[in-house]
């Protein structure tokens, strides 16, 4: 069964460093998303991406964040200068075209900023 | 703005007992509703979805949910829980027309006792 894959599963980084979280969405999907979940809290929307551009972004998704689909298969989230409060589980999701309404989520990348 | 309320933060049930997890939503149009399950350290797995038709929907692992428009509710049920059902359960709403995002509730942690 097709699945969304995310790498790495866990990343530890020092405050102020740049990190790139990687995702490979399901191959025929058109809509891509990043969500995050701070430990013990709910899953929050960060950004949606369609047709090679951002469709919507939340207040969390400030200038320190960027997304890219560099090669037609990967979908990346970059945090330019990490802060302690960026520590969270980051989920990538993708959705197919038309009537395929459900979003499929990856297993997540746990980012720890120290 | 869309929102989801899961009033029960933590529920404990005995193995073999019935289960109902509550979810109330606020959405300006016809909602698409989802239940996701998250086992410890894992990603989000879709249990079931509703977008039209029969208001009682069946999902995986023996779960079902009933959409009640008059009550703005989408409660999740299972007639007999198993120890493996212990997890965090998230209700989510979204139109998923175009590239719309999902809005999640805060989750209900389910504990199963022998």
């Amino acid at each position: 069964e097709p699945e969304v894959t995310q790498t790495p599963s866990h990343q530890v980084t020092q405050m102020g460093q740049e990190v790139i979280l990687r995702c490979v969405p399901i191959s025929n999907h058109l809509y891509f998303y990043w969500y995050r979940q701070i430990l013990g809290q709910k899953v929050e929307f960060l950004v949606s991406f369609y047709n090679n551009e951002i469709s919507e972004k939340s207040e969390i998704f400030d200038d320190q964040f960027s997304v890219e689909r560099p090669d037609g298969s990967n979908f990346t989230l970059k945090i330019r200068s990490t802060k302690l409060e960026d520590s969270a589980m980051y989920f990538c999701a993708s959705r197919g075209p038309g009537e395929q309404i459900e979003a499929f989520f990856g297993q997540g990348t746990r980012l720890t900023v120290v | 703005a869309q929102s989801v309320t899961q009033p029960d933060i933590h529920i404990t049930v005995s193995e073999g007992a019935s289960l109902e997890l509550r979810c109330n939503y606020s959405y300006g149009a016809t909602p698409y509703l989802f239940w996701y399950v998250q086992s410890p350290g894992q990603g989000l797995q879709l249990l079931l979805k509703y977008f039209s038709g029969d208001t009682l929907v069946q999902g995986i692992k023996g779960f079902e949910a009933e959409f009640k428009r008059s009550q703005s509710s989408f409660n999740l049920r299972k007639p007999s829980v198993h120890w493996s059902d212990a997890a965090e359960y998230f209700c989510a709403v979204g139109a998923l027309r175009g590239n719309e995002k999902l809005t999640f509730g805060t989750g209900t942690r389910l504990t199963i006792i022998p």
Side-chain angles (χ1 to χ4, degrees):
Chain A
E1 183 175 327
E3 60 181 15
V4 176
T5 57
Q6 291 184 242
T7 55
S9 56
H10 190 188
Q11 178 149 3
V12 181
T13 188
Q14 287 196 323
M15 189 169 55
Q17 294 297 304
E18 175 183 286
V19 294
I20 297 176
L21 309 183
R22 303 181 190 279
C23 169
V24 179
I26 295 172
S27 62
N28 67 334
H29 283 189
L30 301 177
Y31 304 97
F32 312 107
Y33 308 84
W34 283 100
Y35 292 82
R36 82 170 184 190
Q37 183 184 31
I38 294 172
L39 187 63
Q41 299 186 23
K42 69 177 179 179
V43 178
E44 301 174 289
F45 168 76
L46 289 178
V47 65
S48 57
F49 192 86
Y50 170 71
N51 201 25
N52 284 321
E53 60 183 21
I54 291 174
S55 304
E56 184 180 357
K57 58 184 180 180
S58 71
E59 292 178 352
I60 303 167
F61 194 89
D62 62 21
D63 291 344
Q64 294 299 311
F65 290 87
S66 63
V67 289
E68 194 177 35
R69 190 159 159 78
D71 56 10
S73 61
N74 292 284
F75 180 50
T76 61
L77 174 69
K78 182 192 293 186
I79 308 175
R80 190 171 309 129
S81 178
T82 50
K83 302 186 286 287
L84 294 176
E85 53 264 38
D86 293 328
S87 295
M89 181 76 94
Y90 288 81
F91 292 106
C92 173
S94 69
R95 187 170 72 83
E99 296 300 311
Q100 298 178 37
I101 66 165
E102 64 263 41
F104 291 84
F105 284 78
Q107 291 297 97
T109 293
R110 179 163 296 285
L111 176 65
T112 303
V113 182
V114 297
Chain B
Q2 58 204 56
S3 66
V4 177
T5 302
Q6 293 180 249
D8 304 306
I9 296 173
H10 187 194
I11 284 183
T12 300
V13 298
S14 299
E15 190 168 14
S18 64
L19 171 71
E20 182 169 25
L21 303 182
R22 297 183 289 167
C23 171
N24 293 95
Y25 69 90
S26 173
Y27 193 72
T30 301
Y32 288 36
L33 294 157
F34 307 82
W35 276 98
Y36 284 86
V37 61
Q38 183 182 34
S39 298
Q42 300 298 309
L44 297 164
Q45 182 182 23
L46 180 67
L47 283 177
L48 47 77
K49 61 184 183 284
Y50 169 81
F51 62 100
S52 67
D54 193 344
T55 56
L56 184 64
V57 295
Q58 303 296 321
I60 62 172
K61 305 184 180 186
F63 284 92
E64 65 179 26
E66 186 172 13
F67 171 60
K68 293 184 177 180
R69 185 185 299 274
S70 61
Q71 299 177 18
S72 297
S73 69
F74 188 57
N75 293 349
L76 181 71
R77 300 195 294 250
K78 186 169 184 177
S80 176
V81 297
H82 185 262
W83 64 266
S84 60
D85 293 324
E88 188 96 16
Y89 290 80
F90 292 94
C91 181
V93 66
L96 290 181
R97 285 184 291 273
N99 206 21
E100 289 191 42
K101 63 183 183 291
L102 287 175
T103 298
F104 285 83
T106 49
T108 298
R109 180 171 300 279
L110 176 64
T111 298
I112 309 294
I113 55 176

